[in-house]
Amino acid sequence: MHVDVGNALAVEATPGVPEDALERLDDRVRDAHERIVAGMTGAEFGYAALNLPKTADPAAIEQAVEPFADSDVLLNVGIGGSALGAATLVDALDGDLDAYFLDNVDPEHVTGLLEDIDLSRAVVHIVSRSGTTAETLANFLVVRDAMEDAGVDWTERTFVTTGPEGNLRDLADEHDLPALDAPEGVPGRFSALSTVGLPAAALTGHDVEAILDGAREGRAALTGSLFDCPAYAYGATAYALDVRGAGINAMMPYAESLETFAEWFAQLWAESLGKDGLGQTPARALGATDQHSQLQLYRAGPRDKLVTLVRTRERDDREIPETELEGLDYLAGGSLGELLDAEFEATEASLAESGVPNVRIEIPRIDERSLGRLLYDVEAACILAGELYEVETFTQPAVEWGKEAARGLLSGERGLPEKTELVVE
């Protein structure tokens, strides 16, 4: 992964980071790196995620999905980190079957999706580390019921990824379902490169080993200086900009297939760093589409944003046909890829010219190896930022409060605080 933070320097941007401030920050990066390495060495909770390139077992994943080689459809039932990593890999890479992710409990969406799928040709992957996630288990029960109504033996079309205990593990044991172990010590949002995210890639025909090879490159690139490590360069720069006023980080990939990556990033960044009144708010955008919407705000609105621009250095291309339409001669002989690159570079220059800090991230191409490296490096960047913020990167107490409140409402065991209303009809 290639990271260019030049347009975030104070000379170019407001807020910006003076280069000498980055050099001073590098001492803290060195200390943070030592803490991260110690956490990895001890396989401590959270830090164990950075060991996945070594500890993930591709053979076990391939063995679990092999019975479903005849499937035409993948139905991944999970939520948050149990879905977004898998969806990022599947959406970024062309697959051999259609993949759908039941990561919400909107009844109309769930019903419509199940009505459109040939359930006799579907493989269902249920993902919940605890085995008790309300949304995941509710959706699974609905899917199971739909399969039974369609005359499909759901036990022949289902496998799970879960922890050693819980309802889902009990279900797998009772019905002899293929079961993968969720990685120990790895929070869901950091689990894309594990039995949580990789089975979807394997089922859709992608090289799991190549994904992990890319992640291994990222692991080998971790070093004690932000000036030598792309992941740390990004994490440290984002942190430094936030404390200087850039409290919003707009992730803007210039590739349609990376749109889900921006969603994955949003969960990772928000849930990991939003603690103790700190944290940078992630926003999702897509180049070049959102040049015609959000860019107006980024360039001319409040000076509170970092824009992260992501693109590939190589891609398949398509020529733009000749046209007799007046004023479009500048497109003649060009291609969509050249136009997209021009849009990228013009946006980058536009933001820099108006003093909006931005960072360029480039990957070689959209393939398994590059995706593995990108996901790993962004996870490492997030962990490094958490060390600099001095927050508990791997917990999510605010999320847990909401989960408990929802369970209490459904069970009748608790209510919610009284709500202030001002209704306009």
Side-chain angles (χ1 to χ4, degrees):
M1 188 174 82
H2 173 89
V3 175
D4 181 356
V5 302
N7 282 349
L9 302 179
V11 175
E12 307 290 345
T14 304
V17 185
E19 192 165 355
D20 59 350
L22 278 183
E23 293 171 355
R24 293 192 300 273
L25 182 61
D26 205 34
D27 290 336
R28 292 187 60 200
V29 171
R30 181 194 62 238
D31 294 341
H33 174 66
E34 291 176 358
R35 173 69 188 98
I36 291 169
V37 169
M40 293 168 64
T41 302
E44 295 178 33
F45 181 74
Y47 300 99
L50 296 181
N51 291 333
L52 285 172
K54 292 180 63 178
T55 59
D57 184 357
I61 293 169
E62 296 289 352
Q63 182 178 356
V65 304
E66 195 278 331
F68 310 105
D70 64 336
S71 302
D72 295 327
V73 174
L74 163 64
L75 190 57
N76 194 104
V77 184
I79 194 168
S82 295
L84 282 172
T88 295
L89 290 167
V90 170
D91 291 351
L93 303 166
D94 289 332
D96 295 338
L97 50 79
D98 295 327
Y100 302 93
F101 296 86
L102 270 184
D103 59 352
N104 204 344
V105 288
D106 180 331
E108 292 185 345
H109 171 71
V110 173
T111 299
L113 179 59
L114 294 177
E115 288 176 348
D116 289 342
I117 292 174
D118 181 355
L119 294 171
S120 69
R121 303 290 295 169
V123 51
V124 180
H125 183 204
I126 315 164
V127 187
S128 170
R129 170 186 300 280
S130 68
T132 61
T133 308
E135 299 91 342
T136 299
L137 292 183
N139 273 335
F140 161 65
L141 292 174
V142 171
V143 170
R144 184 175 71 175
D145 187 61
M147 295 182 95
E148 290 175 345
D149 287 347
V152 177
D153 184 351
W154 66 272
T155 66
E156 297 295 321
R157 310 299 307 171
T158 302
F159 74 107
V160 307
T161 294
T162 191
E165 299 177 345
N167 294 332
L168 199 52
R169 178 63 66 175
D170 293 342
L171 184 80
D173 290 343
E174 179 183 353
H175 295 281
D176 197 26
L177 305 179
L180 289 164
D181 296 329
E184 293 185 10
V186 180
R189 60 190 176 276
F190 288 92
S191 63
L193 301 169
S194 77
T195 50
V196 172
L198 294 176
L203 281 162
T204 49
H206 301 301
D207 188 342
V208 170
E209 191 65 53
I211 295 170
L212 290 172
D213 281 344
R216 292 180 190 113
E217 287 182 0
R219 190 177 191 275
L222 296 181
T223 186
S225 172
L226 70 90
F227 297 103
D228 296 323
C229 174
Y232 288 171
Y234 182 67
T237 301
Y239 160 80
L241 286 168
D242 182 21
V243 299
R244 286 165 171 78
I248 297 171
N249 187 342
M251 176 59 68
M252 193 170 184
Y254 273 70
E256 196 84 19
S257 61
L258 290 180
E259 187 171 14
T260 308
F261 162 75
E263 295 184 30
W264 172 84
F265 170 83
Q267 183 197 8
L268 181 78
W269 215 248
E271 198 167 22
S272 300
L273 304 178
K275 318 281 170 63
D276 304 329
L278 302 171
Q280 193 176 47
T281 301
R284 305 195 298 262
L286 179 66
T289 301
D290 286 314
Q291 290 175 211
H292 298 269
S293 56
Q294 297 179 36
L295 185 60
Q296 174 64 36
L297 174 66
Y298 300 160
R299 193 173 191 273
R303 301 298 180 172
D304 59 355
K305 298 170 190 68
L306 158 66
V307 181
T308 302
L309 304 165
V310 183
R311 75 168 174 183
T312 64
R313 289 183 165 179
E314 298 176 15
R315 70 170 78 82
D316 292 337
D317 208 347
R318 185 169 186 132
E319 291 185 0
I320 300 172
E322 299 283 346
T323 179
E324 72 284 358
L325 296 175
E326 184 177 351
L328 295 181
D329 54 313
Y330 68 95
L331 295 175
S335 69
L336 291 178
E338 290 169 348
L339 177 58
L340 189 63
D341 283 340
E343 300 273 18
F344 177 98
E345 291 168 10
T347 299
E348 184 181 55
S350 170
L351 292 167
E353 192 276 336
S354 60
V356 178
N358 58 90
V359 172
R360 175 192 289 206
I361 294 177
E362 292 180 310
I363 60 175
R365 63 194 63 82
I366 297 178
D367 62 10
E368 289 94 338
R369 193 181 195 99
S370 295
L371 262 292
R373 176 69 189 269
L374 178 65
L375 293 174
Y376 187 92
D377 277 8
V378 173
E379 288 181 3
C382 182
I383 293 172
L384 183 277
E387 297 294 324
L388 298 177
Y389 282 112
E390 298 181 350
V391 298
E392 295 290 338
T393 306
F394 306 113
T395 63
Q396 53 281 332
V399 175
E400 297 303 325
W401 189 98
K403 289 180 180 178
E404 292 299 325
R407 290 192 189 100
L409 280 175
L410 290 170
S411 66
E413 295 178 359
R414 63 178 287 183
L416 297 177
E418 184 176 347
K419 178 185 179 299
T420 300
E421 293 186 348
L422 197 166
V423 179
V424 180
E425 295 180 340

